[in-house]
Amino acid sequence: MKLPDGLRLKHTPIGMRTVKTALAVTLSLMVIEYYGASPAKVVFATIGAISAVGPTFTASLLACATQICGVSVGALLALTLMALHVPSIVGVGIGIMLIITSYHHLKLKLVPVLPCLVLVNICLNPEVEALSYSLGRIWDTAIGLAIGMLVNTLIFPYDNSRKIRRMMEGLDGDLICILEDLFDGDDHLPKADDLGEKIDALEGQLALFSQQRLLRRKRQKREIQQLTTCEDTAQALLVELEALCAMPTMGRLNRENRQALLALGAKVSREEPGVSETTEDVVSNYHVSQVLRLRQKLKGQLAGRRR
């Protein structure tokens, strides 16, 4: 099942990922209830389910691996501190510093709640049988992670391919506005910074797209190649626009480029170069012709992807 990117429940600001998270937590609690719920079981299963509902399949998989390893490390660290006869409260402080430092150096985005909880519960509760408690918490976390992973993968999986296509198509309108600003006859010259930021955002969306879907990898790789080709063309467009915007003096459009821009709806000056073109005229028209060529190429690539 798939929904269009960005779809939200009618008349509410609730996103589909929020709904999936709630569903994952509910199912996890139902499973936990089946074999005897307790506060610890509920907490670990809930955090596991929430962690597994990531924006992409890769993010969910990483969350699962990180949380299971985190709980295991928290348990081993607690057992080590107990074996060294470190005072419980001191041991908790040392352990939490080590866990947080490890997460920071490994650049893990998840908050290290689970390993810290395991550490605290083992160190501060001497009556707790450390090994069985650790295995139990790993099991509870695994239940939440597994259910969250299944819900996230099978129910309305995130797909930003439409968003990427809309972003690429939106670049065309920005492009025409910049060209119009450059050649409308006034002294104000636009900057290509906004367009550059949008292309950077496009790169981020392509990175997300590459991390989606476990199945249909062959088709996904083909789509990634097509989208990356479009993004490369957009980058080349940006280079040409930046070169135009960086010119200290803008040249005059030749007849071919002026007619092409007028046909696109741009309101540009009708002044043409004289008998002898200036250097600025030649350079400006070269970059404009390159921009128009790359624009046509990008539109062809997007049209080919839709087929």
Side-chain angles (χ1 to χ4, degrees):
M1 292 187 292
K2 289 203 311 183
L3 285 180
D5 176 57
L7 182 64
R8 294 186 177 275
L9 299 182
K10 191 175 181 180
H11 305 309
T12 73
I14 302 175
M16 186 51 61
R17 186 177 166 194
T18 302
V19 175
K20 291 196 294 183
T21 302
L23 177 61
V25 171
T26 302
L27 293 175
S28 299
L29 295 180
M30 290 172 64
V31 173
I32 291 292
E33 185 72 29
Y34 178 76
Y35 72 92
S38 69
K41 291 178 180 180
V42 168
V43 168
F44 280 80
T46 298
I47 295 177
I50 293 173
S51 301
V53 185
T56 64
F57 174 79
T58 302
S60 295
L61 193 62
L62 179 60
C64 291
T66 301
Q67 296 291 35
I68 289 295
C69 290
V71 173
S72 303
V73 168
L76 289 173
L77 187 56
L79 292 172
T80 302
L81 291 169
M82 291 177 66
L84 294 173
H85 302 291
V86 178
S88 57
I89 296 180
V90 175
V92 167
I94 294 173
I96 288 178
M97 283 194 295
L98 290 173
I99 291 170
I100 293 176
T101 302
S102 299
Y103 269 62
H104 175 72
H105 284 295
L106 294 173
K107 297 182 179 179
L108 299 177
K109 296 181 179 180
L110 292 173
V111 178
V113 174
L114 292 180
C116 290
L117 283 176
V118 171
L119 176 78
V120 170
N121 284 331
I122 293 177
C123 288
L124 298 184
N125 293 297
E127 67 277 6
V128 169
E129 206 289 302
L131 184 59
S132 62
Y133 178 85
S134 303
L135 292 175
R137 299 300 76 78
I138 291 173
W139 172 248
D140 300 332
T141 305
I143 288 174
L145 290 169
I147 292 174
M149 187 77 175
L150 286 173
V151 168
N152 201 37
T153 304
L154 300 178
I155 300 178
F156 302 129
Y158 181 77
D159 182 4
N160 64 339
S161 58
R162 292 181 180 87
K163 183 175 184 178
I164 291 172
R165 187 171 65 248
R166 287 197 302 270
M167 290 175 73
M168 288 185 174
E169 291 171 347
L171 292 176
D172 191 58
D174 297 330
L175 169 66
I176 301 304
C177 289
I178 291 176
L179 289 174
E180 182 178 87
D181 246 1
L182 285 169
F183 297 100
D184 58 2
D186 61 25
D187 295 330
H188 173 263
L189 295 181
K191 295 182 180 180
D193 295 351
D194 290 343
L195 192 65
E197 289 176 2
K198 290 183 179 181
I199 292 177
D200 289 341
L202 181 61
E203 287 184 5
Q205 290 297 324
L206 284 171
L208 278 178
F209 184 78
S210 67
Q211 298 171 7
Q212 294 169 21
R213 297 181 191 155
L214 172 63
L215 305 176
R216 295 184 294 172
R217 294 294 298 176
K218 184 175 181 180
R219 175 184 170 185
Q220 185 188 12
K221 287 180 179 178
R222 185 171 64 251
E223 288 180 318
I224 291 171
Q225 289 175 346
Q226 292 172 339
L227 289 171
T228 301
T229 300
C230 293
E231 196 268 337
D232 289 341
T233 303
Q235 287 283 8
L237 258 173
L238 179 62
V239 170
E240 296 295 337
L241 282 175
E242 286 177 337
L244 272 171
C245 293
M247 291 182 63
T249 305
M250 195 58 54
R252 294 163 295 179
L253 290 171
N254 59 28
R255 180 171 297 181
E256 181 183 358
N257 285 335
R258 191 180 72 256
Q259 288 178 346
L261 289 177
L262 289 171
L264 294 174
K267 298 176 182 178
V268 296
S269 171
R270 294 185 176 275
E271 183 183 5
E272 292 186 24
V275 178
S276 57
E277 289 184 311
T278 66
T279 302
E280 288 81 6
D281 294 337
V282 174
V283 174
S284 296
N285 281 293
Y286 168 77
H287 287 301
V288 170
S289 63
Q290 287 294 97
V291 167
L292 294 174
R293 180 185 65 81
L294 289 167
R295 173 190 175 272
Q296 196 61 37
K297 181 180 178 181
L298 180 59
K299 290 180 72 69
Q301 290 168 341
L302 289 172
R305 185 179 176 274
R306 281 195 290 267
R307 287 197 292 269

